[in-house]
Each structure stands twice: as C-alpha cells, then as structure tokens.
Amino acid sequence: MTCWYEGPLAAFDTETTGVDVETDRIVSAAVVVQDAPGTRPRVTRWLVNPGVPVPEGATAVHGLTDEHLQRNGRWPAPVMYEIAEELAEQAAMARPLVVMNAPFDLTLLDRELRRHRASSLDRWFEGSALRVLDPRVLDKHLDRYRKGRRTLADLCAHYGVTLEGAHDAGADALAALDVVRALGRRFAARLERLSPAELHALQTTWHAAQARGLQAWFTKSGTPEIVNTEWPLRPDLPAAA
C-alpha cells in the first residue's frame, strides 16, 4: 500500500501585501497538484489586483508592483471564489493539502472571502474535510531539538529540496510539497501508519504546544507579541478591515 507521502498531494501558497492576516491582501496564489513523486506537477496560478497599494517592502520580497498588478491582476472577488473552489476540489478527491505555515495563508484566504464574497473558507469544506499537512509544524514536532530557523528556504536546505524562484507562489508551493515528501521518508517509522486525517488532527495539538512554547519564550524575554494557538485556520474575524 502506498504511503501518503508517496501518493497524490496538492499544495497551496500565496504572496501578499504584508504579514497581517486581518488587514493585508493576496496579490498572487498558486495550487500545485502532483500525483506521485517525480511526476510533472500541474500548477494553477492567480494574479490579483488587491485594490490597495502594495508596500515597497512587500514588492521587494515578491517583485509584484502596483503597476504590474493593476495592469495584469484580476479583481479579488472572482479569484477568491476560484481558489476556494480549487481547494474544495482537492478535498473532495481526498488529496492532502500542503500549506507551509497554514494559519497564515488559509486565514488570509478566509478573510479575503469574507471581505469580497461575504462568505468564509469553512463553507467550502462542509462536504469534504480539508486535510492539511504543514511542513513547519511537522518538522518542529519530529525534529524539535534541531537548532536554527525553519523558514521554507531553511527546510529546503535541510531536506535537500531545490527551491527555484523563491517567493513565487507556484515555486514555494511546489517546494513545500517536496519538503513534505522528503520529511515523510525521513520519519517514515513515525509517520507511515498515520493517515492524513489523523495527521491533520495531531497537528492541531502539536501547533498549539509549539505556540505556547514560543509564547512563553516571548513573555520571558519581554516581547509583547501574542502567538495564536489555532491551526490550520484562525477563527473569528475582528472588526472589518
């Protein structure tokens, strides 16, 4: 029987105007689908005119300027609908969805859907549950004592995955997918008997523990930052952005 990390996987990634899930906007997104390791991935991309200025700092990361997005990007409302439909299709086909730092990308998508579609991301998964694999959460749990950062670039270097064109949504999604496959093989003894649904449930617990540990460190060091324990989607939308 094929282990989940050797079978069909999908991956999702976004590029944005910033790092605040409540107020920032999606400027590009991609869903990558791969039926098996080594097979040609299928990539669906979206480019969005967010309707707000793109800060220079964000452009410096992903290279997408206001001018380019205004000329080539689509309005957010239909794009957010299409992305949610694509993710729902992956869930209906029982493909696990790889999302690096899932609470960021999925919460941002949820807020965009609420903002532009008067809906929520959960609505698309009432019929088929979303099963998320977050390489950041998995790596921090399975190799918790390893020193160093755990960005996507760091994980790619650690697991021997090539990352070409970093901060392009399609490239990052594919790299995250490859990291999950490599991680699955490295920790096969601990993962091969777990289904994606079981892993999804476990990651909610693992992420919460990781967040509490980080919060304790922030508190000890006098850092005022608040760490959210929810995974893979932060609930509750505060006052409209």
Side-chain angles (χ1 to χ4, degrees), residues 48-49 74-83 112-113 116-117:
V48 187
N49 179 354
R74 298 168 56 203
W75 289 113
V79 172
M80 301 312 151
Y81 178 87
E82 289 171 16
I83 294 172
E112 289 278 53
L113 286 165
H116 297 291
R117 304 289 311 189

Side-chain angles (χ1 to χ4, degrees), residues 64-141:
L64 298 171
T65 64
D66 278 329
E67 181 182 3
H68 179 77
L69 293 170
Q70 289 169 12
R71 183 186 303 121
N72 301 289
R74 298 168 56 203
W75 289 113
V79 172
M80 301 312 151
Y81 178 87
E82 289 171 16
I83 294 172
E85 284 284 290
E86 180 66 27
L87 298 186
E89 181 179 336
Q90 301 309 317
M93 298 183 73
R95 284 197 190 101
L97 182 70
V98 175
V99 190
M100 175 72 183
N101 192 17
F104 177 78
D105 292 87
L106 294 181
T107 303
L108 194 56
L109 175 59
D110 175 78
R111 299 329 189 228
E112 289 278 53
L113 286 165
R114 293 173 186 251
R115 184 178 292 121
H116 297 291
R117 304 289 311 189
S119 185
S120 67
L121 186 58
D122 285 338
R123 178 192 152 202
W124 267 266
F125 303 105
E126 293 172 350
S128 301
L130 187 64
R131 295 176 174 87
V132 176
L133 300 172
D134 188 333
R136 187 167 181 264
V137 174
L138 292 170
D139 177 71
K140 287 181 73 174
H141 177 78

